Amino acid sequence: MATIKPLGQRVLVKRLDAEAVSAGGIVLPDTAKEKPQEAEVLSLGTGGKDEDGKTIEFTVKVGDKVLISKYGGTEVKVDGQEVLIVSESDILGIVA
């Protein structure tokens, strides 16, 4: 797989597969599925500095499962696999 290193405060994530069965037990076709909001962090950007020149630490780390906004980020295809580059501020939370 080609390597993508995000720049700045950006994070490379891969959406996790959506549920194929609804809560009521109905099997959903691909066209009826919503974009999953859960993703796995694949790599971190180069970071940034605040107004005082101090390094801004990332809150997430590689391997974390996170919640992202449904339509945030930029979709990129790498070796046939869809990944997203999102700003760290587009990450809503870390799934425990």
Side-chain angles (χ1 to χ4, degrees), residues 26-62:
I26 299 171
V27 177
L28 299 171
D30 287 339
T31 56
K33 291 180 187 175
E34 289 187 12
K35 286 186 175 184
Q37 286 184 272
E38 203 169 326
E40 181 181 357
V41 176
L42 299 178
S43 74
L44 302 175
T46 55
K49 298 198 182 285
D50 64 11
E51 294 173 3
D52 298 327
K54 296 179 184 172
T55 301
I56 300 171
E57 297 291 326
F58 280 97
T59 309
V60 297
K61 60 185 182 301
V62 174

Side-chain angles (χ1 to χ4, degrees), residues 11-88:
V11 179
L12 184 70
V13 297
K14 177 184 174 196
R15 287 189 194 270
L16 298 178
D17 292 331
E19 293 292 322
V21 179
S22 71
I26 299 171
V27 177
L28 299 171
D30 287 339
T31 56
K33 291 180 187 175
E34 289 187 12
K35 286 186 175 184
Q37 286 184 272
E38 203 169 326
E40 181 181 357
V41 176
L42 299 178
S43 74
L44 302 175
T46 55
K49 298 198 182 285
D50 64 11
E51 294 173 3
D52 298 327
K54 296 179 184 172
T55 301
I56 300 171
E57 297 291 326
F58 280 97
T59 309
V60 297
K61 60 185 182 301
V62 174
D64 280 351
K65 289 193 178 13
V66 295
L67 292 176
I68 56 174
S69 53
K70 280 187 183 179
Y71 302 104
T74 303
E75 290 186 1
V76 180
K77 246 187 183 175
V78 179
D79 294 337
Q81 184 178 29
E82 283 191 16
V83 294
L84 282 170
I85 297 176
V86 298
S87 174
E88 188 180 28

